[in-house]
Amino acid sequence: QSLATHPANAATRDPKTGILLPSVGEIESSIPQTWDEDDNPFASLSESVSFSRLDASDDKIFYAEPRFVEHVDQQAVDSITSFVSDRLLQNGDSVLDLCSSWTSHITPGKLDLKRVAGLGMNAKELEANKALTEWAVQNLNENKNV
């Protein structure tokens, strides 16, 4: 029989999402333990560029149009929301939501917060954020004063 019709058991399919996942240890075992300088993709990077942006264009261009999407998966959203709402904030707190968008990591109605001020780059996204009591558009690259 053809190998194409019988995939190896090196991967598993997540029953909830249907996504094909690598087997345990598969990713770690594929990373070399030692690097030849010719093969090391990080060898030519200085510390000043190691953490530089991949896209150096002005952020105003990216944020000009609203993007009503999450930039991380739902599990990450749920985890940070749970941490912020269950462990970080308390009733009566005031919150400054920096780099705010159309969502905040605050469970709606869970806490009686005094104020939730959002600072972001797109007015339509900020306006759609129901957790915010007030908001302002500000490019922190141009004006770092909060």
Side-chain angles (χ1 to χ4, degrees), residues 44-71:
S44 64
L45 296 179
S46 69
E47 189 172 311
S48 64
V49 297
S50 295
F51 295 100
S52 65
R53 295 166 41 146
L54 296 175
D55 179 0
S57 61
D58 193 325
D59 285 341
K60 286 187 286 192
I61 298 167
F62 181 84
Y63 290 103
E65 295 297 321
R67 288 174 164 69
F68 294 100
V69 298
E70 294 289 358
H71 298 281

Side-chain angles (χ1 to χ4, degrees), residues 1-7:
Q1 294 185 2
S2 166
L3 290 175
T5 60
H6 291 79

Side-chain angles (χ1 to χ4, degrees), residues 127-139:
E127 185 175 42
N129 187 332
K130 302 302 178 206
L132 302 178
T133 58
E134 60 193 273
W135 55 268
V137 173
Q138 182 174 329
N139 184 340

Side-chain angles (χ1 to χ4, degrees), residues 9-49:
N9 291 328
T12 58
R13 189 164 303 279
D14 183 289
K16 184 176 179 183
T17 64
I19 296 172
L20 194 60
L21 303 170
S23 61
V24 174
E26 182 179 358
I27 294 172
E28 292 87 350
S29 67
S30 68
I31 300 172
Q33 298 300 309
T34 59
W35 295 86
D36 293 332
E37 280 305 305
D38 293 339
D39 294 331
N40 185 345
F42 306 107
S44 64
L45 296 179
S46 69
E47 189 172 311
S48 64
V49 297

